[in-house]
Amino acid sequence: MPIIQSIRRINPLDLNKNVKIGVAFPLDEENMFSGTETIAEQTKSNLLNLLLTYPGERINLPNYGVGLKNLLFEQNISLLDLKLQIQDQINVYIPDITLNDIFTQLSEDKHTLIISLTYTYLLDNSEESIQLNLYN
């Protein structure tokens, strides 16, 4: 019977818990002076930042951002176009993850846009998810 060995790759930055890698979101009293401790946490913060940043808001990166907050007051939202835009932005700006699934849904009263993303972090093949509820 063959023995299957799995190798878990660990980023060297994850080993030292005294070193903070990035800024933790949301910026509130709890997260103001604490940062993200692992590359996976920082990747999740980067993804949240990518989704909520307006295109043209980031200096020297005019195409960066999905701008989900712009969708709050739109009359008609093409969920297929939104999925494609999110996929394209992730492929360009966060190549450390592979997007597995995007679930978008409008509430019955059309005042809430629910976006759920499931992605795989490529360094250790761990699956993560993030959900955003945008209210109008």
Side-chain angles (χ1 to χ4, degrees):
M1 179 171 178
I3 298 174
I4 299 173
Q5 294 180 345
S6 78
I7 298 172
R8 183 168 181 238
R9 297 179 353 182
I10 298 174
N11 193 309
L13 293 174
D14 292 345
L15 297 176
N16 188 355
K17 296 298 178 189
N18 294 326
V19 175
K20 303 300 180 193
I21 297 170
V23 178
F25 292 107
L27 291 174
D28 56 8
E29 293 85 20
E30 182 180 327
N31 291 331
M32 185 59 72
F33 296 105
S34 66
T36 54
E37 294 181 354
T38 64
I39 296 294
E41 287 177 17
Q42 184 58 41
T43 301
K44 193 169 192 174
S45 291
N46 291 345
L47 178 59
L48 182 63
N49 191 16
L50 178 73
L51 294 172
L52 296 177
T53 300
Y54 302 110
E57 181 180 359
R58 188 124 180 225
I59 297 174
N60 293 331
L61 291 174
N63 297 324
Y64 180 88
V66 176
L68 291 180
K69 289 186 264 183
N70 285 340
L71 300 176
L72 290 177
F73 301 105
E74 291 292 325
Q75 295 290 331
N76 296 318
I77 299 172
S78 170
L79 297 181
L80 180 62
D81 289 343
L82 178 61
K83 288 180 183 182
L84 291 174
Q85 184 181 7
I86 291 171
Q87 178 71 51
D88 290 343
Q89 289 285 317
I90 288 175
N91 289 342
V92 171
Y93 294 107
I94 310 177
D96 297 338
I97 64 174
T98 300
L99 197 58
N100 298 337
D101 189 29
I102 302 175
F103 174 74
T104 55
Q105 179 182 358
L106 282 171
S107 64
E108 292 178 15
D109 61 358
K110 301 200 181 215
H111 291 291
T112 304
L113 175 64
I114 301 165
I115 300 171
S116 298
L117 301 170
T118 305
Y119 61 92
T120 301
Y121 181 60
L122 296 178
L123 183 65
D124 60 0
N125 289 327
S126 63
E127 189 170 282
E128 298 281 335
S129 64
I130 189 171
Q131 180 173 336
L132 295 169
N133 295 330
L134 301 174
Y135 302 102
N136 184 359

